[in-house]
Amino acid sequence: MTVRYLIVDDEAPSRANLRLALAAHPDWRLVAECDGTAAARAALAAQDVDVIFLDIQMPAESGLVLAREISRLPAPPLIVFVTAYSEHAIDAFEVHALDYLLKPLNDARLSQAVERIGAMLGQRQREAYGAALRDYVDAGADQAKAALERINVRSVGRIEQILVADILWIESAGNYVELHLAGRTVLHRITLNRLETLLAPDDFLRVHRGVIVRRGEIARLDAVGDGGYRLTLRCGAAVAVSERYLGALKSAM
């Protein structure tokens, strides 16, 4: 499968580095290099494109403006954001299952993005991707403005939208979290600390360094062992409670 791609970056060295790195992938064909969003619009109007490598911080117009336009298409091309953004902005990409590359370019990270894109294109996931992209750009790339309503979870070649309203409790798994829903658990790449900042505090409560629960799921608190506590949820799950969060939990109950 030939993958047609577009590079949009105002810095010529960055465009050259990316073009040379992608030359290692014989099935990838460069459609055009653009130094800004105006040239990119012209290239997109003239030719079909599967993937856009899009710089965000450009002097004439932000790449996010173009991304917002692209997100409205019925089956938009996939976007790999190229950025020097802070860690929290990177987390926003991951909440919505969007690919990104940090400047300066990392070959291993690029190879990972290429592999993900191939899987997405092979399973014809452009509509699901478009929904994830719209969630991101409609929030203005600033997820602190409003509580999160959906989490876009990426597995091999697929994006699935998880409604936050369906999450019963959340458990940390290193750099991932386990989203516990009714009848199943979904693994998503984001830290628990970062996800906590995106959730509505009126709906969720931290009860342990590794556990956040939906307030409406709180059922019973029991003392266990040598001064420890265990919280039983309405869904039947039982989670540990840290002393640090005990007071807030008792107040919530």
PDB file of all heavy atoms in Angstrom, residues 155-183:
ATOM      1  N   SER A 155      -5.969   1.215  20.009  1.00  0.00           N
ATOM      2  CA  SER A 155      -5.362  -0.106  20.052  1.00  0.00           C
ATOM      3  C   SER A 155      -4.758  -0.338  18.672  1.00  0.00           C
ATOM      4  O   SER A 155      -4.618   0.597  17.897  1.00  0.00           O
ATOM      5  CB  SER A 155      -6.399  -1.171  20.409  1.00  0.00           C
ATOM      6  OG  SER A 155      -7.474  -1.158  19.491  1.00  0.00           O
ATOM      7  N   VAL A 156      -4.395  -1.548  18.328  1.00  0.00           N
ATOM      8  CA  VAL A 156      -3.726  -1.797  17.056  1.00  0.00           C
ATOM      9  C   VAL A 156      -4.672  -1.486  15.895  1.00  0.00           C
ATOM     10  O   VAL A 156      -5.634  -2.201  15.651  1.00  0.00           O
ATOM     11  CB  VAL A 156      -3.236  -3.255  16.977  1.00  0.00           C
ATOM     12  CG1 VAL A 156      -2.556  -3.501  15.635  1.00  0.00           C
ATOM     13  CG2 VAL A 156      -2.271  -3.548  18.115  1.00  0.00           C
ATOM     14  N   GLY A 157      -4.399  -0.369  15.206  1.00  0.00           N
ATOM     15  CA  GLY A 157      -5.169  -0.025  14.026  1.00  0.00           C
ATOM     16  C   GLY A 157      -6.570   0.484  14.277  1.00  0.00           C
ATOM     17  O   GLY A 157      -7.339   0.661  13.347  1.00  0.00           O
ATOM     18  N   ARG A 158      -6.943   0.748  15.520  1.00  0.00           N
ATOM     19  CA  ARG A 158      -8.307   1.167  15.822  1.00  0.00           C
ATOM     20  C   ARG A 158      -8.301   2.325  16.805  1.00  0.00           C
ATOM     21  O   ARG A 158      -7.388   2.468  17.615  1.00  0.00           O
ATOM     22  CB  ARG A 158      -9.122   0.022  16.446  1.00  0.00           C
ATOM     23  CG  ARG A 158      -9.374  -1.158  15.546  1.00  0.00           C
ATOM     24  CD  ARG A 158     -10.242  -2.198  16.245  1.00  0.00           C
ATOM     25  NE  ARG A 158     -11.580  -1.680  16.566  1.00  0.00           N
ATOM     26  CZ  ARG A 158     -12.010  -1.423  17.806  1.00  0.00           C
ATOM     27  NH1 ARG A 158     -11.238  -1.634  18.846  1.00  0.00           N
ATOM     28  NH2 ARG A 158     -13.233  -0.983  18.009  1.00  0.00           N
ATOM     29  N   ILE A 159      -9.346   3.148  16.734  1.00  0.00           N
ATOM     30  CA  ILE A 159      -9.603   4.158  17.749  1.00  0.00           C
ATOM     31  C   ILE A 159     -11.021   3.938  18.262  1.00  0.00           C
ATOM     32  O   ILE A 159     -11.964   3.821  17.484  1.00  0.00           O
ATOM     33  CB  ILE A 159      -9.460   5.583  17.183  1.00  0.00           C
ATOM     34  CG1 ILE A 159      -7.992   5.895  16.879  1.00  0.00           C
ATOM     35  CG2 ILE A 159     -10.004   6.607  18.166  1.00  0.00           C
ATOM     36  CD1 ILE A 159      -7.770   7.282  16.313  1.00  0.00           C
ATOM     37  N   GLU A 160     -11.151   3.873  19.563  1.00  0.00           N
ATOM     38  CA  GLU A 160     -12.462   3.683  20.190  1.00  0.00           C
ATOM     39  C   GLU A 160     -12.737   4.852  21.124  1.00  0.00           C
ATOM     40  O   GLU A 160     -11.885   5.229  21.933  1.00  0.00           O
ATOM     41  CB  GLU A 160     -12.499   2.377  20.985  1.00  0.00           C
ATOM     42  CG  GLU A 160     -13.828   2.146  21.697  1.00  0.00           C
ATOM     43  CD  GLU A 160     -13.823   0.912  22.600  1.00  0.00           C
ATOM     44  OE1 GLU A 160     -12.741   0.308  22.759  1.00  0.00           O
ATOM     45  OE2 GLU A 160     -14.895   0.586  23.142  1.00  0.00           O
ATOM     46  N   GLN A 161     -13.916   5.433  21.004  1.00  0.00           N
ATOM     47  CA  GLN A 161     -14.312   6.513  21.904  1.00  0.00           C
ATOM     48  C   GLN A 161     -14.954   5.941  23.155  1.00  0.00           C
ATOM     49  O   GLN A 161     -15.935   5.200  23.071  1.00  0.00           O
ATOM     50  CB  GLN A 161     -15.286   7.463  21.214  1.00  0.00           C
ATOM     51  CG  GLN A 161     -14.636   8.388  20.209  1.00  0.00           C
ATOM     52  CD  GLN A 161     -15.524   9.570  19.863  1.00  0.00           C
ATOM     53  OE1 GLN A 161     -16.749   9.473  19.912  1.00  0.00           O
ATOM     54  NE2 GLN A 161     -14.915  10.694  19.538  1.00  0.00           N
ATOM     55  N   ILE A 162     -14.385   6.300  24.302  1.00  0.00           N
ATOM     56  CA  ILE A 162     -14.922   5.889  25.598  1.00  0.00           C
ATOM     57  C   ILE A 162     -15.574   7.101  26.249  1.00  0.00           C
ATOM     58  O   ILE A 162     -14.924   8.139  26.443  1.00  0.00           O
ATOM     59  CB  ILE A 162     -13.807   5.344  26.521  1.00  0.00           C
ATOM     60  CG1 ILE A 162     -13.087   4.159  25.867  1.00  0.00           C
ATOM     61  CG2 ILE A 162     -14.387   4.954  27.876  1.00  0.00           C
ATOM     62  CD1 ILE A 162     -13.947   2.950  25.650  1.00  0.00           C
ATOM     63  N   LEU A 163     -16.843   7.001  26.581  1.00  0.00           N
ATOM     64  CA  LEU A 163     -17.519   8.082  27.285  1.00  0.00           C
ATOM     65  C   LEU A 163     -17.072   8.087  28.742  1.00  0.00           C
ATOM     66  O   LEU A 163     -17.102   7.046  29.414  1.00  0.00           O
ATOM     67  CB  LEU A 163     -19.034   7.913  27.208  1.00  0.00           C
ATOM     68  CG  LEU A 163     -19.668   8.036  25.819  1.00  0.00           C
ATOM     69  CD1 LEU A 163     -21.168   7.787  25.913  1.00  0.00           C
ATOM     70  CD2 LEU A 163     -19.388   9.405  25.218  1.00  0.00           C
ATOM     71  N   VAL A 164     -16.672   9.247  29.232  1.00  0.00           N
ATOM     72  CA  VAL A 164     -16.248   9.355  30.624  1.00  0.00           C
ATOM     73  C   VAL A 164     -17.407   8.981  31.548  1.00  0.00           C
ATOM     74  O   VAL A 164     -17.200   8.423  32.632  1.00  0.00           O
ATOM     75  CB  VAL A 164     -15.737  10.781  30.910  1.00  0.00           C
ATOM     76  CG1 VAL A 164     -15.476  10.984  32.404  1.00  0.00           C
ATOM     77  CG2 VAL A 164     -14.454  11.047  30.124  1.00  0.00           C
ATOM     78  N   ALA A 165     -18.632   9.242  31.127  1.00  0.00           N
ATOM     79  CA  ALA A 165     -19.807   8.901  31.930  1.00  0.00           C
ATOM     80  C   ALA A 165     -19.942   7.400  32.154  1.00  0.00           C
ATOM     81  O   ALA A 165     -20.639   6.970  33.083  1.00  0.00           O
ATOM     82  CB  ALA A 165     -21.070   9.436  31.262  1.00  0.00           C
ATOM     83  N   ASP A 166     -19.271   6.589  31.322  1.00  0.00           N
ATOM     84  CA  ASP A 166     -19.353   5.127  31.462  1.00  0.00           C
ATOM     85  C   ASP A 166     -18.253   4.553  32.349  1.00  0.00           C
ATOM     86  O   ASP A 166     -18.245   3.353  32.631  1.00  0.00           O
ATOM     87  CB  ASP A 166     -19.270   4.457  30.085  1.00  0.00           C
ATOM     88  CG  ASP A 166     -20.491   4.737  29.222  1.00  0.00           C
ATOM     89  OD1 ASP A 166     -21.549   5.068  29.801  1.00  0.00           O
ATOM     90  OD2 ASP A 166     -20.383   4.630  27.990  1.00  0.00           O
ATOM     91  N   ILE A 167     -17.311   5.387  32.777  1.00  0.00           N
ATOM     92  CA  ILE A 167     -16.185   4.902  33.587  1.00  0.00           C
ATOM     93  C   ILE A 167     -16.616   4.784  35.043  1.00  0.00           C
ATOM     94  O   ILE A 167     -17.114   5.744  35.638  1.00  0.00           O
ATOM     95  CB  ILE A 167     -14.984   5.850  33.464  1.00  0.00           C
ATOM     96  CG1 ILE A 167     -14.497   5.906  32.008  1.00  0.00           C
ATOM     97  CG2 ILE A 167     -13.847   5.396  34.381  1.00  0.00           C
ATOM     98  CD1 ILE A 167     -13.410   6.936  31.770  1.00  0.00           C
ATOM     99  N   LEU A 168     -16.413   3.599  35.632  1.00  0.00           N
ATOM    100  CA  LEU A 168     -16.791   3.350  37.024  1.00  0.00           C
ATOM    101  C   LEU A 168     -15.644   3.660  37.973  1.00  0.00           C
ATOM    102  O   LEU A 168     -15.839   4.249  39.028  1.00  0.00           O
ATOM    103  CB  LEU A 168     -17.226   1.890  37.188  1.00  0.00           C
ATOM    104  CG  LEU A 168     -18.357   1.430  36.251  1.00  0.00           C
ATOM    105  CD1 LEU A 168     -18.670  -0.042  36.466  1.00  0.00           C
ATOM    106  CD2 LEU A 168     -19.599   2.287  36.445  1.00  0.00           C
ATOM    107  N   TRP A 169     -14.452   3.233  37.606  1.00  0.00           N
ATOM    108  CA  TRP A 169     -13.264   3.569  38.386  1.00  0.00           C
ATOM    109  C   TRP A 169     -12.027   3.411  37.517  1.00  0.00           C
ATOM    110  O   TRP A 169     -12.093   2.815  36.436  1.00  0.00           O
ATOM    111  CB  TRP A 169     -13.163   2.739  39.663  1.00  0.00           C
ATOM    112  CG  TRP A 169     -13.026   1.248  39.513  1.00  0.00           C
ATOM    113  CD1 TRP A 169     -13.993   0.368  39.131  1.00  0.00           C
ATOM    114  CD2 TRP A 169     -11.856   0.459  39.768  1.00  0.00           C
ATOM    115  NE1 TRP A 169     -13.502  -0.910  39.118  1.00  0.00           N
ATOM    116  CE2 TRP A 169     -12.196  -0.894  39.522  1.00  0.00           C
ATOM    117  CE3 TRP A 169     -10.570   0.760  40.199  1.00  0.00           C
ATOM    118  CZ2 TRP A 169     -11.288  -1.929  39.671  1.00  0.00           C
ATOM    119  CZ3 TRP A 169      -9.661  -0.277  40.372  1.00  0.00           C
ATOM    120  CH2 TRP A 169     -10.013  -1.601  40.110  1.00  0.00           C
ATOM    121  N   ILE A 170     -10.917   3.982  37.971  1.00  0.00           N
ATOM    122  CA  ILE A 170      -9.694   4.040  37.173  1.00  0.00           C
ATOM    123  C   ILE A 170      -8.523   3.620  38.049  1.00  0.00           C
ATOM    124  O   ILE A 170      -8.418   4.043  39.196  1.00  0.00           O
ATOM    125  CB  ILE A 170      -9.457   5.462  36.635  1.00  0.00           C
ATOM    126  CG1 ILE A 170     -10.708   5.976  35.906  1.00  0.00           C
ATOM    127  CG2 ILE A 170      -8.247   5.508  35.711  1.00  0.00           C
ATOM    128  CD1 ILE A 170     -10.691   7.480  35.677  1.00  0.00           C
ATOM    129  N   GLU A 171      -7.646   2.813  37.475  1.00  0.00           N
ATOM    130  CA  GLU A 171      -6.482   2.328  38.217  1.00  0.00           C
ATOM    131  C   GLU A 171      -5.208   2.612  37.434  1.00  0.00           C
ATOM    132  O   GLU A 171      -5.165   2.456  36.209  1.00  0.00           O
ATOM    133  CB  GLU A 171      -6.608   0.824  38.472  1.00  0.00           C
ATOM    134  CG  GLU A 171      -5.519   0.251  39.360  1.00  0.00           C
ATOM    135  CD  GLU A 171      -5.778  -1.206  39.710  1.00  0.00           C
ATOM    136  OE1 GLU A 171      -6.614  -1.840  39.029  1.00  0.00           O
ATOM    137  OE2 GLU A 171      -5.150  -1.704  40.658  1.00  0.00           O
ATOM    138  N   SER A 172      -4.169   3.034  38.141  1.00  0.00           N
ATOM    139  CA  SER A 172      -2.891   3.324  37.506  1.00  0.00           C
ATOM    140  C   SER A 172      -2.192   2.035  37.094  1.00  0.00           C
ATOM    141  O   SER A 172      -2.243   1.027  37.797  1.00  0.00           O
ATOM    142  CB  SER A 172      -1.994   4.105  38.470  1.00  0.00           C
ATOM    143  OG  SER A 172      -0.712   4.294  37.918  1.00  0.00           O
ATOM    144  N   ALA A 173      -1.513   2.098  35.928  1.00  0.00           N
ATOM    145  CA  ALA A 173      -0.697   0.976  35.448  1.00  0.00           C
ATOM    146  C   ALA A 173       0.562   1.556  34.815  1.00  0.00           C
ATOM    147  O   ALA A 173       0.757   1.489  33.609  1.00  0.00           O
ATOM    148  CB  ALA A 173      -1.477   0.116  34.460  1.00  0.00           C
ATOM    149  N   GLY A 174       1.399   2.187  35.638  1.00  0.00           N
ATOM    150  CA  GLY A 174       2.607   2.829  35.147  1.00  0.00           C
ATOM    151  C   GLY A 174       2.267   4.078  34.360  1.00  0.00           C
ATOM    152  O   GLY A 174       1.588   4.985  34.860  1.00  0.00           O
ATOM    153  N   ASN A 175       2.705   4.142  33.100  1.00  0.00           N
ATOM    154  CA  ASN A 175       2.383   5.273  32.235  1.00  0.00           C
ATOM    155  C   ASN A 175       1.024   5.109  31.563  1.00  0.00           C
ATOM    156  O   ASN A 175       0.673   5.908  30.688  1.00  0.00           O
ATOM    157  CB  ASN A 175       3.464   5.456  31.172  1.00  0.00           C
ATOM    158  CG  ASN A 175       4.757   5.988  31.754  1.00  0.00           C
ATOM    159  OD1 ASN A 175       4.749   6.764  32.719  1.00  0.00           O
ATOM    160  ND2 ASN A 175       5.872   5.549  31.206  1.00  0.00           N
ATOM    161  N   TYR A 176       0.292   4.090  31.957  1.00  0.00           N
ATOM    162  CA  TYR A 176      -1.043   3.825  31.431  1.00  0.00           C
ATOM    163  C   TYR A 176      -2.053   3.892  32.570  1.00  0.00           C
ATOM    164  O   TYR A 176      -1.684   3.927  33.754  1.00  0.00           O
ATOM    165  CB  TYR A 176      -1.122   2.445  30.789  1.00  0.00           C
ATOM    166  CG  TYR A 176      -0.365   2.308  29.491  1.00  0.00           C
ATOM    167  CD1 TYR A 176       1.016   2.170  29.478  1.00  0.00           C
ATOM    168  CD2 TYR A 176      -1.032   2.305  28.270  1.00  0.00           C
ATOM    169  CE1 TYR A 176       1.717   2.037  28.290  1.00  0.00           C
ATOM    170  CE2 TYR A 176      -0.344   2.162  27.074  1.00  0.00           C
ATOM    171  CZ  TYR A 176       1.035   2.034  27.087  1.00  0.00           C
ATOM    172  OH  TYR A 176       1.718   1.905  25.913  1.00  0.00           O
ATOM    173  N   VAL A 177      -3.326   3.890  32.210  1.00  0.00           N
ATOM    174  CA  VAL A 177      -4.400   3.712  33.183  1.00  0.00           C
ATOM    175  C   VAL A 177      -5.319   2.614  32.681  1.00  0.00           C
ATOM    176  O   VAL A 177      -5.451   2.398  31.472  1.00  0.00           O
ATOM    177  CB  VAL A 177      -5.216   5.003  33.410  1.00  0.00           C
ATOM    178  CG1 VAL A 177      -4.371   6.073  34.081  1.00  0.00           C
ATOM    179  CG2 VAL A 177      -5.819   5.515  32.115  1.00  0.00           C
ATOM    180  N   GLU A 178      -5.940   1.917  33.614  1.00  0.00           N
ATOM    181  CA  GLU A 178      -6.986   0.951  33.296  1.00  0.00           C
ATOM    182  C   GLU A 178      -8.331   1.623  33.548  1.00  0.00           C
ATOM    183  O   GLU A 178      -8.629   2.015  34.677  1.00  0.00           O
ATOM    184  CB  GLU A 178      -6.847  -0.303  34.158  1.00  0.00           C
ATOM    185  CG  GLU A 178      -5.586  -1.094  33.867  1.00  0.00           C
ATOM    186  CD  GLU A 178      -5.455  -2.323  34.758  1.00  0.00           C
ATOM    187  OE1 GLU A 178      -6.271  -2.448  35.718  1.00  0.00           O
ATOM    188  OE2 GLU A 178      -4.554  -3.139  34.517  1.00  0.00           O
ATOM    189  N   LEU A 179      -9.119   1.784  32.497  1.00  0.00           N
ATOM    190  CA  LEU A 179     -10.452   2.368  32.606  1.00  0.00           C
ATOM    191  C   LEU A 179     -11.439   1.229  32.822  1.00  0.00           C
ATOM    192  O   LEU A 179     -11.657   0.414  31.921  1.00  0.00           O
ATOM    193  CB  LEU A 179     -10.800   3.145  31.339  1.00  0.00           C
ATOM    194  CG  LEU A 179      -9.781   4.202  30.886  1.00  0.00           C
ATOM    195  CD1 LEU A 179     -10.188   4.789  29.539  1.00  0.00           C
ATOM    196  CD2 LEU A 179      -9.627   5.295  31.929  1.00  0.00           C
ATOM    197  N   HIS A 180     -12.023   1.152  33.993  1.00  0.00           N
ATOM    198  CA  HIS A 180     -12.939   0.060  34.330  1.00  0.00           C
ATOM    199  C   HIS A 180     -14.364   0.484  33.986  1.00  0.00           C
ATOM    200  O   HIS A 180     -14.916   1.427  34.562  1.00  0.00           O
ATOM    201  CB  HIS A 180     -12.821  -0.304  35.809  1.00  0.00           C
ATOM    202  CG  HIS A 180     -11.503  -0.914  36.158  1.00  0.00           C
ATOM    203  ND1 HIS A 180     -11.287  -2.273  36.138  1.00  0.00           N
ATOM    204  CD2 HIS A 180     -10.323  -0.338  36.511  1.00  0.00           C
ATOM    205  CE1 HIS A 180     -10.037  -2.522  36.481  1.00  0.00           C
ATOM    206  NE2 HIS A 180      -9.424  -1.366  36.712  1.00  0.00           N
ATOM    207  N   LEU A 181     -14.941  -0.222  33.032  1.00  0.00           N
ATOM    208  CA  LEU A 181     -16.314   0.015  32.588  1.00  0.00           C
ATOM    209  C   LEU A 181     -17.168  -1.157  33.033  1.00  0.00           C
ATOM    210  O   LEU A 181     -16.675  -2.123  33.624  1.00  0.00           O
ATOM    211  CB  LEU A 181     -16.362   0.150  31.062  1.00  0.00           C
ATOM    212  CG  LEU A 181     -15.283   1.027  30.416  1.00  0.00           C
ATOM    213  CD1 LEU A 181     -15.358   0.919  28.900  1.00  0.00           C
ATOM    214  CD2 LEU A 181     -15.422   2.471  30.855  1.00  0.00           C
ATOM    215  N   ALA A 182     -18.447  -1.103  32.777  1.00  0.00           N
ATOM    216  CA  ALA A 182     -19.328  -2.222  33.106  1.00  0.00           C
ATOM    217  C   ALA A 182     -18.978  -3.413  32.218  1.00  0.00           C
ATOM    218  O   ALA A 182     -19.196  -3.368  31.004  1.00  0.00           O
ATOM    219  CB  ALA A 182     -20.781  -1.821  32.913  1.00  0.00           C
ATOM    220  N   GLY A 183     -18.403  -4.463  32.785  1.00  0.00           N
ATOM    221  CA  GLY A 183     -18.140  -5.688  32.046  1.00  0.00           C
ATOM    222  C   GLY A 183     -16.809  -5.773  31.344  1.00  0.00           C
ATOM    223  O   GLY A 183     -16.474  -6.812  30.770  1.00  0.00           O
TER     224      GLY A 183
END
